mmCIF file with all atom_site columns, all heavy atoms in Angstrom:
data_model
loop_
_atom_site.group_PDB
_atom_site.id
_atom_site.type_symbol
_atom_site.label_atom_id
_atom_site.label_alt_id
_atom_site.label_comp_id
_atom_site.label_asym_id
_atom_site.label_entity_id
_atom_site.label_seq_id
_atom_site.pdbx_PDB_ins_code
_atom_site.Cartn_x
_atom_site.Cartn_y
_atom_site.Cartn_z
_atom_site.occupancy
_atom_site.B_iso_or_equiv
_atom_site.pdbx_formal_charge
_atom_site.auth_seq_id
_atom_site.auth_comp_id
_atom_site.auth_asym_id
_atom_site.auth_atom_id
_atom_site.pdbx_PDB_model_num
ATOM   1   N N   . TRP D 1 38  ? -11.988 -211.728 36.453 1.00 96.00 ? 38  TRP D N   1
ATOM   2   C CA  . TRP D 1 38  ? -11.560 -212.895 37.256 1.00 96.00 ? 38  TRP D CA  1
ATOM   3   C C   . TRP D 1 38  ? -11.126 -212.500 38.660 1.00 96.00 ? 38  TRP D C   1
ATOM   4   O O   . TRP D 1 38  ? -11.457 -213.166 39.636 1.00 96.00 ? 38  TRP D O   1
ATOM   5   C CB  . TRP D 1 38  ? -10.402 -213.608 36.529 1.00 96.00 ? 38  TRP D CB  1
ATOM   6   C CG  . TRP D 1 38  ? -9.787  -214.708 37.333 1.00 96.00 ? 38  TRP D CG  1
ATOM   7   C CD1 . TRP D 1 38  ? -10.182 -216.017 37.365 1.00 96.00 ? 38  TRP D CD1 1
ATOM   8   C CD2 . TRP D 1 38  ? -8.679  -214.612 38.245 1.00 96.00 ? 38  TRP D CD2 1
ATOM   9   N NE1 . TRP D 1 38  ? -9.386  -216.739 38.237 1.00 96.00 ? 38  TRP D NE1 1
ATOM   10  C CE2 . TRP D 1 38  ? -8.452  -215.898 38.792 1.00 96.00 ? 38  TRP D CE2 1
ATOM   11  C CE3 . TRP D 1 38  ? -7.847  -213.558 38.649 1.00 96.00 ? 38  TRP D CE3 1
ATOM   12  C CZ2 . TRP D 1 38  ? -7.439  -216.158 39.702 1.00 96.00 ? 38  TRP D CZ2 1
ATOM   13  C CZ3 . TRP D 1 38  ? -6.836  -213.821 39.572 1.00 96.00 ? 38  TRP D CZ3 1
ATOM   14  C CH2 . TRP D 1 38  ? -6.641  -215.112 40.090 1.00 96.00 ? 38  TRP D CH2 1
ATOM   15  N N   . PRO D 1 74  ? -13.381 -204.303 23.892 1.00 98.00 ? 74  PRO D N   1
ATOM   16  C CA  . PRO D 1 74  ? -13.345 -205.732 23.557 1.00 98.00 ? 74  PRO D CA  1
ATOM   17  C C   . PRO D 1 74  ? -13.087 -206.576 24.802 1.00 98.00 ? 74  PRO D C   1
ATOM   18  O O   . PRO D 1 74  ? -12.365 -206.148 25.702 1.00 98.00 ? 74  PRO D O   1
ATOM   19  C CB  . PRO D 1 74  ? -12.170 -205.865 22.573 1.00 98.00 ? 74  PRO D CB  1
ATOM   20  C CG  . PRO D 1 74  ? -11.409 -204.608 22.647 1.00 98.00 ? 74  PRO D CG  1
ATOM   21  C CD  . PRO D 1 74  ? -12.250 -203.562 23.304 1.00 98.00 ? 74  PRO D CD  1
ATOM   22  N N   . GLY D 1 76  ? -12.337 -210.702 26.143 1.00 98.00 ? 76  GLY D N   1
ATOM   23  C CA  . GLY D 1 76  ? -12.113 -212.124 25.895 1.00 98.00 ? 76  GLY D CA  1
ATOM   24  C C   . GLY D 1 76  ? -12.583 -212.900 27.116 1.00 98.00 ? 76  GLY D C   1
ATOM   25  O O   . GLY D 1 76  ? -13.748 -212.832 27.509 1.00 98.00 ? 76  GLY D O   1
ATOM   26  N N   . GLY D 1 77  ? -11.661 -213.615 27.739 1.00 98.00 ? 77  GLY D N   1
ATOM   27  C CA  . GLY D 1 77  ? -12.022 -214.423 28.906 1.00 98.00 ? 77  GLY D CA  1
ATOM   28  C C   . GLY D 1 77  ? -12.125 -213.629 30.198 1.00 98.00 ? 77  GLY D C   1
ATOM   29  O O   . GLY D 1 77  ? -12.458 -214.179 31.238 1.00 98.00 ? 77  GLY D O   1
ATOM   30  N N   . HIS D 1 78  ? -11.829 -212.336 30.131 1.00 98.00 ? 78  HIS D N   1
ATOM   31  C CA  . HIS D 1 78  ? -11.931 -211.437 31.298 1.00 98.00 ? 78  HIS D CA  1
ATOM   32  C C   . HIS D 1 78  ? -10.993 -211.879 32.421 1.00 98.00 ? 78  HIS D C   1
ATOM   33  O O   . HIS D 1 78  ? -11.334 -211.778 33.603 1.00 98.00 ? 78  HIS D O   1
ATOM   34  C CB  . HIS D 1 78  ? -13.387 -211.387 31.806 1.00 98.00 ? 78  HIS D CB  1
ATOM   35  C CG  . HIS D 1 78  ? -13.816 -209.997 32.209 1.00 98.00 ? 78  HIS D CG  1
ATOM   36  N ND1 . HIS D 1 78  ? -15.103 -209.686 32.539 1.00 98.00 ? 78  HIS D ND1 1
ATOM   37  C CD2 . HIS D 1 78  ? -13.110 -208.850 32.350 1.00 98.00 ? 78  HIS D CD2 1
ATOM   38  C CE1 . HIS D 1 78  ? -15.188 -208.409 32.874 1.00 98.00 ? 78  HIS D CE1 1
ATOM   39  N NE2 . HIS D 1 78  ? -13.976 -207.881 32.757 1.00 98.00 ? 78  HIS D NE2 1
ATOM   40  N N   . THR D 1 79  ? -9.828  -212.394 32.035 1.00 98.00 ? 79  THR D N   1
ATOM   41  C CA  . THR D 1 79  ? -8.837  -212.799 33.045 1.00 98.00 ? 79  THR D CA  1
ATOM   42  C C   . THR D 1 79  ? -7.649  -211.835 33.108 1.00 98.00 ? 79  THR D C   1
ATOM   43  O O   . THR D 1 79  ? -6.731  -212.045 33.903 1.00 98.00 ? 79  THR D O   1
ATOM   44  C CB  . THR D 1 79  ? -8.275  -214.202 32.768 1.00 98.00 ? 79  THR D CB  1
ATOM   45  O OG1 . THR D 1 79  ? -7.478  -214.162 31.570 1.00 98.00 ? 79  THR D OG1 1
ATOM   46  C CG2 . THR D 1 79  ? -9.363  -215.241 32.606 1.00 98.00 ? 79  THR D CG2 1
ATOM   47  N N   . GLY D 1 80  ? -7.648  -210.836 32.248 1.00 98.00 ? 80  GLY D N   1
ATOM   48  C CA  . GLY D 1 80  ? -6.564  -209.852 32.257 1.00 98.00 ? 80  GLY D CA  1
ATOM   49  C C   . GLY D 1 80  ? -6.503  -209.197 33.634 1.00 98.00 ? 80  GLY D C   1
ATOM   50  O O   . GLY D 1 80  ? -7.528  -209.104 34.327 1.00 98.00 ? 80  GLY D O   1
ATOM   51  N N   . CYS D 1 145 ? -8.969  -217.931 29.541 1.00 98.00 ? 145 CYS D N   1
ATOM   52  C CA  . CYS D 1 145 ? -8.565  -216.828 28.658 1.00 98.00 ? 145 CYS D CA  1
ATOM   53  C C   . CYS D 1 145 ? -8.690  -217.252 27.195 1.00 98.00 ? 145 CYS D C   1
ATOM   54  O O   . CYS D 1 145 ? -8.725  -218.438 26.883 1.00 98.00 ? 145 CYS D O   1
ATOM   55  C CB  . CYS D 1 145 ? -7.146  -216.361 28.977 1.00 98.00 ? 145 CYS D CB  1
ATOM   56  S SG  . CYS D 1 145 ? -5.867  -217.598 28.722 1.00 98.00 ? 145 CYS D SG  1
ATOM   57  N N   . GLN D 1 146 ? -8.792  -216.279 26.329 1.00 99.00 ? 146 GLN D N   1
ATOM   58  C CA  . GLN D 1 146 ? -9.047  -216.563 24.908 1.00 99.00 ? 146 GLN D CA  1
ATOM   59  C C   . GLN D 1 146 ? -7.865  -216.105 24.049 1.00 99.00 ? 146 GLN D C   1
ATOM   60  O O   . GLN D 1 146 ? -7.117  -215.193 24.433 1.00 99.00 ? 146 GLN D O   1
ATOM   61  C CB  . GLN D 1 146 ? -10.317 -215.838 24.467 1.00 99.00 ? 146 GLN D CB  1
ATOM   62  C CG  . GLN D 1 146 ? -11.555 -216.281 25.236 1.00 99.00 ? 146 GLN D CG  1
ATOM   63  C CD  . GLN D 1 146 ? -12.804 -215.467 24.883 1.00 99.00 ? 146 GLN D CD  1
ATOM   64  O OE1 . GLN D 1 146 ? -12.766 -214.606 23.997 1.00 99.00 ? 146 GLN D OE1 1
ATOM   65  N NE2 . GLN D 1 146 ? -13.898 -215.751 25.576 1.00 99.00 ? 146 GLN D NE2 1
ATOM   66  N N   . ASN D 1 150 ? -5.107  -213.226 24.588 1.00 98.00 ? 150 ASN D N   1
ATOM   67  C CA  . ASN D 1 150 ? -3.667  -213.537 24.650 1.00 98.00 ? 150 ASN D CA  1
ATOM   68  C C   . ASN D 1 150 ? -2.885  -212.680 23.655 1.00 98.00 ? 150 ASN D C   1
ATOM   69  O O   . ASN D 1 150 ? -1.792  -212.209 23.964 1.00 98.00 ? 150 ASN D O   1
ATOM   70  C CB  . ASN D 1 150 ? -3.408  -215.016 24.330 1.00 98.00 ? 150 ASN D CB  1
ATOM   71  C CG  . ASN D 1 150 ? -4.110  -215.983 25.268 1.00 98.00 ? 150 ASN D CG  1
ATOM   72  O OD1 . ASN D 1 150 ? -4.536  -217.055 24.860 1.00 98.00 ? 150 ASN D OD1 1
ATOM   73  N ND2 . ASN D 1 150 ? -4.257  -215.613 26.531 1.00 98.00 ? 150 ASN D ND2 1
ATOM   74  N N   . SER D 1 152 ? -3.886  -209.747 22.326 1.00 98.00 ? 152 SER D N   1
ATOM   75  C CA  . SER D 1 152 ? -3.990  -208.324 22.667 1.00 98.00 ? 152 SER D CA  1
ATOM   76  C C   . SER D 1 152 ? -3.140  -207.950 23.864 1.00 98.00 ? 152 SER D C   1
ATOM   77  O O   . SER D 1 152 ? -2.771  -206.788 24.023 1.00 98.00 ? 152 SER D O   1
ATOM   78  C CB  . SER D 1 152 ? -5.451  -207.959 22.948 1.00 98.00 ? 152 SER D CB  1
ATOM   79  O OG  . SER D 1 152 ? -6.242  -208.442 21.901 1.00 98.00 ? 152 SER D OG  1
ATOM   80  N N   . THR D 1 153 ? -2.853  -208.933 24.736 1.00 98.00 ? 153 THR D N   1
ATOM   81  C CA  . THR D 1 153 ? -1.992  -208.630 25.880 1.00 98.00 ? 153 THR D CA  1
ATOM   82  C C   . THR D 1 153 ? -0.565  -209.144 25.659 1.00 98.00 ? 153 THR D C   1
ATOM   83  O O   . THR D 1 153 ? 0.269   -209.015 26.555 1.00 98.00 ? 153 THR D O   1
ATOM   84  C CB  . THR D 1 153 ? -2.531  -209.286 27.181 1.00 98.00 ? 153 THR D CB  1
ATOM   85  O OG1 . THR D 1 153 ? -2.623  -210.703 26.979 1.00 98.00 ? 153 THR D OG1 1
ATOM   86  C CG2 . THR D 1 153 ? -3.894  -208.750 27.564 1.00 98.00 ? 153 THR D CG2 1
ATOM   87  N N   . ALA D 1 155 ? 0.507   -212.197 25.762 1.00 98.00 ? 155 ALA D N   1
ATOM   88  C CA  . ALA D 1 155 ? 0.672   -212.973 26.998 1.00 98.00 ? 155 ALA D CA  1
ATOM   89  C C   . ALA D 1 155 ? 1.996   -213.735 27.027 1.00 98.00 ? 155 ALA D C   1
ATOM   90  O O   . ALA D 1 155 ? 2.566   -214.070 25.983 1.00 98.00 ? 155 ALA D O   1
ATOM   91  C CB  . ALA D 1 155 ? -0.504  -213.939 27.140 1.00 98.00 ? 155 ALA D CB  1
ATOM   92  N N   . GLY D 1 156 ? 2.437   -213.994 28.242 1.00 97.00 ? 156 GLY D N   1
ATOM   93  C CA  . GLY D 1 156 ? 3.708   -214.708 28.431 1.00 97.00 ? 156 GLY D CA  1
ATOM   94  C C   . GLY D 1 156 ? 3.450   -216.097 28.980 1.00 97.00 ? 156 GLY D C   1
ATOM   95  O O   . GLY D 1 156 ? 3.093   -217.002 28.253 1.00 97.00 ? 156 GLY D O   1
ATOM   96  N N   . GLY D 1 157 ? 3.649   -216.270 30.286 1.00 97.00 ? 157 GLY D N   1
ATOM   97  C CA  . GLY D 1 157 ? 3.402   -217.577 30.885 1.00 97.00 ? 157 GLY D CA  1
ATOM   98  C C   . GLY D 1 157 ? 4.690   -218.331 31.164 1.00 97.00 ? 157 GLY D C   1
ATOM   99  O O   . GLY D 1 157 ? 5.786   -217.770 31.147 1.00 97.00 ? 157 GLY D O   1
ATOM   100 N N   . GLY D 1 207 ? -6.272  -203.956 22.611 1.00 98.00 ? 207 GLY D N   1
ATOM   101 C CA  . GLY D 1 207 ? -7.546  -203.579 21.998 1.00 98.00 ? 207 GLY D CA  1
ATOM   102 C C   . GLY D 1 207 ? -7.672  -202.111 21.662 1.00 98.00 ? 207 GLY D C   1
ATOM   103 O O   . GLY D 1 207 ? -8.765  -201.640 21.343 1.00 98.00 ? 207 GLY D O   1
ATOM   104 N N   . VAL D 1 212 ? -9.128  -208.070 17.401 1.00 99.00 ? 212 VAL D N   1
ATOM   105 C CA  . VAL D 1 212 ? -8.588  -209.298 16.798 1.00 99.00 ? 212 VAL D CA  1
ATOM   106 C C   . VAL D 1 212 ? -9.748  -210.276 16.649 1.00 99.00 ? 212 VAL D C   1
ATOM   107 O O   . VAL D 1 212 ? -10.497 -210.516 17.607 1.00 99.00 ? 212 VAL D O   1
ATOM   108 C CB  . VAL D 1 212 ? -7.507  -209.914 17.718 1.00 99.00 ? 212 VAL D CB  1
ATOM   109 C CG1 . VAL D 1 212 ? -7.037  -211.255 17.166 1.00 99.00 ? 212 VAL D CG1 1
ATOM   110 C CG2 . VAL D 1 212 ? -6.342  -208.951 17.898 1.00 99.00 ? 212 VAL D CG2 1
ATOM   111 N N   . GLU D 1 431 ? 4.444   -208.686 31.501 1.00 97.00 ? 431 GLU D N   1
ATOM   112 C CA  . GLU D 1 431 ? 3.553   -209.519 30.690 1.00 97.00 ? 431 GLU D CA  1
ATOM   113 C C   . GLU D 1 431 ? 2.062   -209.160 30.754 1.00 97.00 ? 431 GLU D C   1
ATOM   114 O O   . GLU D 1 431 ? 1.320   -209.485 29.843 1.00 97.00 ? 431 GLU D O   1
ATOM   115 C CB  . GLU D 1 431 ? 3.744   -211.016 31.002 1.00 97.00 ? 431 GLU D CB  1
ATOM   116 C CG  . GLU D 1 431 ? 3.573   -211.403 32.441 1.00 97.00 ? 431 GLU D CG  1
ATOM   117 C CD  . GLU D 1 431 ? 3.704   -212.925 32.675 1.00 97.00 ? 431 GLU D CD  1
ATOM   118 O OE1 . GLU D 1 431 ? 4.212   -213.646 31.801 1.00 97.00 ? 431 GLU D OE1 1
ATOM   119 O OE2 . GLU D 1 431 ? 3.280   -213.367 33.728 1.00 97.00 ? 431 GLU D OE2 1
HETATM 120 P P1  . LIG A 2 .   ? -9.350  -210.191 28.650 1.00 72.53 ? 1   LIG A P1  1
HETATM 121 O O1  . LIG A 2 .   ? -9.060  -210.108 30.081 1.00 72.53 ? 1   LIG A O1  1
HETATM 122 O O2  . LIG A 2 .   ? -10.744 -210.397 28.263 1.00 72.53 ? 1   LIG A O2  1
HETATM 123 O O3  . LIG A 2 .   ? -8.791  -208.886 27.920 1.00 72.53 ? 1   LIG A O3  1
HETATM 124 C C1  . LIG A 2 .   ? -7.491  -208.437 28.122 1.00 72.53 ? 1   LIG A C1  1
HETATM 125 C C2  . LIG A 2 .   ? -7.232  -207.171 27.270 1.00 72.53 ? 1   LIG A C2  1
HETATM 126 O O4  . LIG A 2 .   ? -7.270  -207.497 25.877 1.00 72.53 ? 1   LIG A O4  1
HETATM 127 C C3  . LIG A 2 .   ? -8.286  -206.103 27.450 1.00 72.53 ? 1   LIG A C3  1
HETATM 128 O O5  . LIG A 2 .   ? -7.670  -204.859 27.279 1.00 72.53 ? 1   LIG A O5  1
HETATM 129 C C4  . LIG A 2 .   ? -9.275  -206.373 26.322 1.00 72.53 ? 1   LIG A C4  1
HETATM 130 O O6  . LIG A 2 .   ? -9.988  -205.225 25.946 1.00 72.53 ? 1   LIG A O6  1
HETATM 131 C C5  . LIG A 2 .   ? -8.351  -206.834 25.217 1.00 72.53 ? 1   LIG A C5  1
HETATM 132 N N1  . LIG A 2 .   ? -8.950  -207.837 24.335 1.00 72.53 ? 1   LIG A N1  1
HETATM 133 C C6  . LIG A 2 .   ? -9.462  -209.053 24.672 1.00 72.53 ? 1   LIG A C6  1
HETATM 134 N N2  . LIG A 2 .   ? -9.832  -209.718 23.565 1.00 72.53 ? 1   LIG A N2  1
HETATM 135 C C7  . LIG A 2 .   ? -9.558  -208.912 22.508 1.00 72.53 ? 1   LIG A C7  1
HETATM 136 C C8  . LIG A 2 .   ? -9.706  -209.031 21.096 1.00 72.53 ? 1   LIG A C8  1
HETATM 137 N N3  . LIG A 2 .   ? -10.203 -210.138 20.548 1.00 72.53 ? 1   LIG A N3  1
HETATM 138 N N4  . LIG A 2 .   ? -9.315  -208.001 20.320 1.00 72.53 ? 1   LIG A N4  1
HETATM 139 C C9  . LIG A 2 .   ? -8.793  -206.872 20.869 1.00 72.53 ? 1   LIG A C9  1
HETATM 140 N N5  . LIG A 2 .   ? -8.638  -206.701 22.188 1.00 72.53 ? 1   LIG A N5  1
HETATM 141 C C10 . LIG A 2 .   ? -9.003  -207.711 22.999 1.00 72.53 ? 1   LIG A C10 1
HETATM 142 N N6  . LIG A 2 .   ? -0.595  -213.352 31.761 1.00 72.53 ? 1   LIG A N6  1
HETATM 143 C C11 . LIG A 2 .   ? 0.617   -213.656 31.299 1.00 72.53 ? 1   LIG A C11 1
HETATM 144 O O7  . LIG A 2 .   ? 1.101   -212.997 30.391 1.00 72.53 ? 1   LIG A O7  1
HETATM 145 N N7  . LIG A 2 .   ? 1.319   -214.702 31.852 1.00 72.53 ? 1   LIG A N7  1
HETATM 146 C C12 . LIG A 2 .   ? 0.829   -215.476 32.842 1.00 72.53 ? 1   LIG A C12 1
HETATM 147 O O8  . LIG A 2 .   ? 1.486   -216.387 33.317 1.00 72.53 ? 1   LIG A O8  1
HETATM 148 C C13 . LIG A 2 .   ? -0.480  -215.178 33.310 1.00 72.53 ? 1   LIG A C13 1
HETATM 149 N N8  . LIG A 2 .   ? -1.040  -215.933 34.262 1.00 72.53 ? 1   LIG A N8  1
HETATM 150 C C14 . LIG A 2 .   ? -2.285  -215.638 34.683 1.00 72.53 ? 1   LIG A C14 1
HETATM 151 C C15 . LIG A 2 .   ? -2.856  -216.460 35.658 1.00 72.53 ? 1   LIG A C15 1
HETATM 152 C C16 . LIG A 2 .   ? -4.115  -216.201 36.128 1.00 72.53 ? 1   LIG A C16 1
HETATM 153 C C17 . LIG A 2 .   ? -4.723  -217.088 37.180 1.00 72.53 ? 1   LIG A C17 1
HETATM 154 C C18 . LIG A 2 .   ? -4.832  -215.090 35.614 1.00 72.53 ? 1   LIG A C18 1
HETATM 155 C C19 . LIG A 2 .   ? -6.212  -214.788 36.099 1.00 72.53 ? 1   LIG A C19 1
HETATM 156 C C20 . LIG A 2 .   ? -4.283  -214.279 34.639 1.00 72.53 ? 1   LIG A C20 1
HETATM 157 C C21 . LIG A 2 .   ? -3.009  -214.533 34.164 1.00 72.53 ? 1   LIG A C21 1
HETATM 158 N N9  . LIG A 2 .   ? -2.409  -213.745 33.186 1.00 72.53 ? 1   LIG A N9  1
HETATM 159 C C22 . LIG A 2 .   ? -1.163  -214.072 32.734 1.00 72.53 ? 1   LIG A C22 1
HETATM 160 C C23 . LIG A 2 .   ? -3.051  -212.511 32.662 1.00 72.53 ? 1   LIG A C23 1
HETATM 161 C C24 . LIG A 2 .   ? -3.275  -212.582 31.165 1.00 72.53 ? 1   LIG A C24 1
HETATM 162 O O9  . LIG A 2 .   ? -3.157  -211.317 30.554 1.00 72.53 ? 1   LIG A O9  1
HETATM 163 C C25 . LIG A 2 .   ? -4.496  -213.244 30.701 1.00 72.53 ? 1   LIG A C25 1
HETATM 164 O O10 . LIG A 2 .   ? -4.841  -214.380 31.386 1.00 72.53 ? 1   LIG A O10 1
HETATM 165 C C26 . LIG A 2 .   ? -4.774  -213.406 29.205 1.00 72.53 ? 1   LIG A C26 1
HETATM 166 O O11 . LIG A 2 .   ? -3.791  -213.146 28.265 1.00 72.53 ? 1   LIG A O11 1
HETATM 167 C C27 . LIG A 2 .   ? -5.931  -212.475 28.923 1.00 72.53 ? 1   LIG A C27 1
HETATM 168 O O12 . LIG A 2 .   ? -6.813  -213.110 28.070 1.00 72.53 ? 1   LIG A O12 1
HETATM 169 P P2  . LIG A 2 .   ? -8.383  -212.863 28.188 1.00 72.53 ? 1   LIG A P2  1
HETATM 170 O O13 . LIG A 2 .   ? -9.005  -213.556 27.034 1.00 72.53 ? 1   LIG A O13 1
HETATM 171 O O14 . LIG A 2 .   ? -8.891  -213.204 29.514 1.00 72.53 ? 1   LIG A O14 1
HETATM 172 O O15 . LIG A 2 .   ? -8.440  -211.291 27.952 1.00 72.53 ? 1   LIG A O15 1
#
Side-chain angles (χ1 to χ4, degrees):
W38 173 88
H78 221 172
T79 68
C145 63
Q146 299 175 4
N150 301 146
S152 310
T153 58
V212 175
E431 56 177 16

